Structures are given as structure tokens and as C-alpha cells.
Amino acid sequence: MNGHILRGTNIAVDFWKIQGRCEHLIHFLTHLHGDHIVGLTSSWQQAIYCSEFTSELLRSKYGLPESLVRICPLNQSIIVPVSDSKSFTVTAYDADHCPGAVMFYFQGDFGNIFYTGDFRSSSQLLTSCVNVIDQIDTLYLDNTFCSAKCIFPSRDDCLMRMIEIIRQHAQHEVVIGVRKLGKEILLAKLGVALDETICVSSTCYQISQLLFTTNVFTTIALCDKTFRIRTVPMHLISGKFMDKLNLARQTVAIIPSAIYTGLDCQPFSRCENIFVVPYSDHSNYLELFEFVSTLRPNKVLPIVRHFRGPFGACLSDREDMTCFQSVLSTDRSVQKIQHKYNSGEHRVHSFNHDSKTGNIEFCSQNEGLAQSSDHLDCYHLTVCSLSEHMTTNHL
């Protein structure tokens, strides 16, 4: 389970399995990966708070009416009304996980709650969260890889490994296993570095057009020509699948995922034509520890419960948050949020339910593009005006 009704609140994050009447719940969506939207359909009738990029996908891909979408701009606190006399504030932070993914910081009479959703921690992400250090009562943490066994390389290192594999198999076709959302920038960097066109799904192509412009993507619908490198749904890659492909032409597969990290067995270890590269959009164990020790919350709760990994592996040990006990801030007295706002430390924006996007820039993920624009330039990716604040390592 990847969604929760936050303890002591009426706030539901990535939680859509509602039975009976639930008008009292206020719903937030961290991102649009399938395991975070189970139960969310086009017939949904309640308001959803999310990032602007996610709101675009909710409307265009899932058919939700614009009147139900409430946009949370990055790094700005907005007031969420509960009743005529009661409200709380929420601030969204870039989660550096997939396009549109955000973390939420809630402040109200229930205290201060930080909900990471899925995220990949980094020094830049920690810098963006500097205002919440020593302020968090309860931290809901992405515990996907919360195990000392789960150590894997940076995404840049994994990109270089993928480039190396493909260059070593210059006479082979290459299939790359991906999911519906995510890996768009990874694939673009790969295509540019190899100077090859990559055939991607129509969904990937459409999402990438919202993020950047590049000439290294195509789809079957746009071109009759076959290309050496193409993406396939990750779940299709297996020994039998590769045997079938190799009957026609020599083919290798790359799975850019850390999903098998920390398991007692390593799938595909005997398959010479399948390469698992631990590219991850989740934080590894060391990054999680750095994140918690920097923010110093009072309490940490795991987001993923009843943990089952690949092949039914029991991963319940990753729900154990006692590994962070030594870095928790147990002696902090909770500051009243109205004191903070009266001192002018935050910009607070009242949320107008009847307004559209106003002056908020579309897809303004991360204000740190200036720091990463050199990376975009070297890969010849031109960021669209609608996403001019997107960072190159966002996936």
C-alpha cells in the first residue's frame, strides 16, 4: 500500500480506496505512477491537490475535469480550507522522482507533517527543504530501499553504464524496459550520447514534448522505419522474450531499475543478453539516512506497508524505521505555525478554487535550472518554455 490517511487528520495522500461517504477527506496526489493511483478513475468527483505537471496529465490522460484540480506550486505555501473557520497549509517540494512528482509539507493544528511520496534525495533536494529542518513532527518516508543491503550508484553512473553496454553491442538491436511514466530524460540523454534515434511509446513521446524538445525520439506511428534502439514495457523482458527476439536478429535488453537490489537472488544473472542496470528514481539507504539526519523529524513512519518485492519476496524489514532513532529530534518543542507566518518567513498564498493557473509557471519543477542548464546544453536538449525550470536529473 502506497497511500495513507495521515494520522490525526482528514488528509488523504495517494489514497483512493474510499468506501462509503468521504466528503470530509481532502485528497493529495504525489505523482502519477500506477501504484499511487489505484482506485482513481475518470469518474472521480472530489478535488485533488497536485503539482501543475501532474494536473496536466490528470486532465489530458485521465479525463478529470479542470474544476477538480487544485495546483500546488513548488516551494510556496498555500492555504487549504477545511471549513468556514478551519484550514491548514501545504507546501510542495520537488521529489526528483518522475515528471510532476512532489513531496508535501502539511502544517496545521495537527502539527507539522512531511510526506515524501517516492523521491530521490540529493544535496539539491536537501537544500530546497532547508526551511523544514527541525520543524517536522511526523515524517512519512519512502522506504522502498530502506535496508542496509540497498546501496546502488548514482543515476549519472548508471547512464554511463548503459552507454557502455550499447556501444559494446554495436551490431545488436537494443530493447530498454521502461514503465509508462519516467525515464524520459534518461532516454533522451542516451540517444544524444549515442547519436541514435530511440523508438519510444506514444505516451513517452507525448510526455517528453511537454518536458523538452529533441530529435532523438520517434514512435512507430510517426515513422515506418525500424530503429536499432527501442523501448518496451519492462514486464515483457524475460528469457523467453529474448529468445524470440534473437530468432530474428541479435538483441540485448537493458532494464534500468534497482528493483532487484537487496534481494537474495539476482534475476537474469544467467542471461547473457539481459543487463540489469540499477538506475533508480528512489533514494538508496545511504541517501535516506542522510535525508532523515538532515531534517531531524520527531518521528518517522514508512509509506510502503505490507511490503512484497519481486517474485513475492517478503521485504517487511524495510518497514522498520528504528534505524533512524539516533538522528530524531525528540526534544524539540513544536512551534505554532501562525508564529512563523507572522514573522514573514514564508510566502502564503490563499487558494482560489475558481481560479485557473494564474501566474504560476507551467511545470516549474525545481528553481535550480540555472545550476543544471549546462548539462542540458551539452546534451543538446532544448527545454520548452512551458518547462523552463526542469532539471536534467529529474528522472
Side-chain angles (χ1 to χ4, degrees):
M1 181 176 70
N2 291 330
H4 292 268
I5 299 175
L6 306 190
R7 294 182 182 181
T9 79
N10 61 346
I11 298 170
V13 184
D14 297 345
F15 189 90
W16 318 102
K17 296 180 180 179
I18 306 299
Q19 296 179 351
R21 299 180 64 84
C22 57
E23 287 83 355
H24 69 288
L25 291 178
I26 301 175
H27 294 270
F28 292 80
L29 174 61
T30 60
H31 65 292
L32 273 172
H33 276 160
D35 55 336
H36 290 257
I37 55 173
V38 176
L40 179 60
T41 67
S42 59
S43 62
W44 187 263
Q45 295 297 316
Q46 293 182 255
I48 299 175
Y49 288 82
C50 60
S51 70
E52 188 160 12
F53 191 86
T54 295
S55 76
E56 282 292 312
L57 297 183
L58 278 175
R59 295 195 295 265
S60 62
K61 300 295 183 184
Y62 292 87
L64 262 69
E66 186 175 354
S67 60
L68 294 182
V69 178
R70 311 284 188 263
I71 295 172
C72 296
L74 287 183
N75 307 314
Q76 297 180 32
S77 298
I78 64 170
I79 298 173
V80 179
V82 177
S83 64
D84 291 340
S85 60
K86 189 176 182 181
S87 64
F88 62 86
T89 66
V90 62
T91 309
Y93 295 93
D94 179 22
D96 201 8
H97 176 69
C98 73
V102 291
M103 307 179 289
F104 291 115
Y105 181 46
F106 303 98
Q107 297 172 279
D109 57 11
F110 46 75
N112 302 336
I113 302 174
F114 198 101
Y115 194 99
T116 67
D118 293 348
F119 81 117
R120 182 85 193 248
S121 187
S122 64
S123 58
Q124 184 175 339
L125 183 143
L126 286 170
T127 298
S128 73
C129 298
V130 65
N131 287 331
V132 306
I133 293 175
D134 284 326
Q135 302 300 311
I136 301 169
D137 296 305
T138 303
L139 171 64
Y140 283 82
L141 185 69
D142 174 13
N143 56 311
T144 303
F145 292 108
C146 189
S147 168
K149 298 179 180 179
C150 296
I151 308 297
F152 41 76
S154 70
R155 285 177 287 196
D156 285 343
D157 288 343
C158 290
L159 169 64
M160 297 309 297
R161 175 58 181 149
M162 292 175 67
I163 292 171
E164 180 183 38
I165 292 169
I166 296 173
R167 284 176 173 166
Q168 288 173 347
H169 297 82
Q171 303 306 314
H172 290 63
E173 289 192 352
V174 180
V175 293
I176 302 173
V178 297
R179 293 193 170 96
K180 288 184 178 180
L181 177 65
K183 307 297 189 291
E184 292 84 8
I185 292 180
L186 166 66
L187 294 169
K189 288 182 177 181
L190 199 61
V192 172
L194 295 166
D195 195 23
E196 292 196 51
T197 299
I198 299 177
C199 187
V200 300
S201 69
S202 58
T203 298
C204 176
Y205 189 85
Q206 292 165 5
I207 291 174
S208 69
Q209 288 184 312
L210 296 175
L211 300 175
F212 51 80
T213 58
T214 180
N215 60 358
V216 298
F217 284 172
T218 190
T219 66
I220 294 176
L222 294 176
C223 185
D224 295 331
K225 179 183 175 182
T226 59
F227 291 88
R228 186 173 80 94
I229 306 174
R230 68 183 187 277
T231 63
V232 298
M234 193 174 82
H235 70 271
L236 290 182
I237 296 179
S238 66
K240 289 184 179 180
F241 178 73
M242 295 305 297
D243 288 343
K244 183 178 180 180
L245 292 181
N246 276 277
L247 290 176
R249 182 174 177 182
Q250 283 188 307
T251 306
V252 296
I254 299 176
I255 301 176
S257 175
I259 191 172
Y260 307 117
T261 302
L263 301 183
D264 293 332
C265 63
Q266 290 300 310
F268 310 118
S269 59
R270 296 184 179 180
C271 297
E272 295 182 353
N273 53 15
I274 300 178
F275 298 87
V276 179
V277 178
Y279 184 101
S280 183
D281 296 313
H282 294 267
S283 303
N284 65 32
Y285 180 73
L286 294 178
E287 291 163 346
L288 288 175
F289 199 87
E290 180 187 28
F291 180 80
V292 176
S293 62
T294 300
L295 267 55
R296 294 189 295 275
N298 273 9
K299 179 170 57 177
V300 182
L301 297 177
I303 289 178
V304 185
R305 297 281 194 175
H306 311 298
F307 216 145
R308 289 285 174 180
F311 317 112
C314 179
L315 303 176
S316 59
D317 62 307
R318 302 186 188 183
E319 300 176 30
D320 184 1
M321 301 289 100
T322 59
C323 58
F324 303 116
Q325 193 64 40
S326 64
V327 297
L328 299 184
S329 178
T330 55
D331 296 329
R332 179 181 60 81
S333 59
V334 180
Q335 295 180 354
K336 297 295 184 181
I337 64 170
Q338 59 264 34
H339 291 172
K340 180 182 293 186
Y341 294 134
N342 289 341
S343 68
E345 291 181 20
H346 279 282
R347 292 171 292 167
V348 182
H349 296 256
S350 179
F351 196 94
N352 183 350
H353 285 195
D354 296 325
S355 68
K356 294 187 178 181
T357 58
N359 294 324
I360 303 169
E361 288 188 59
F362 177 79
C363 194
S364 57
Q365 298 277 68
N366 261 341
E367 295 179 349
L369 178 66
Q371 300 172 359
S372 58
S373 60
D374 291 341
H375 298 291
L376 281 174
D377 291 341
C378 73
Y379 281 106
H380 307 292
L381 299 176
T382 303
V383 180
C384 295
S385 60
L386 290 181
S387 55
E388 63 181 359
H389 293 293
M390 201 69 172
T391 62
T392 60
N393 64 345
H394 197 69
L395 302 177

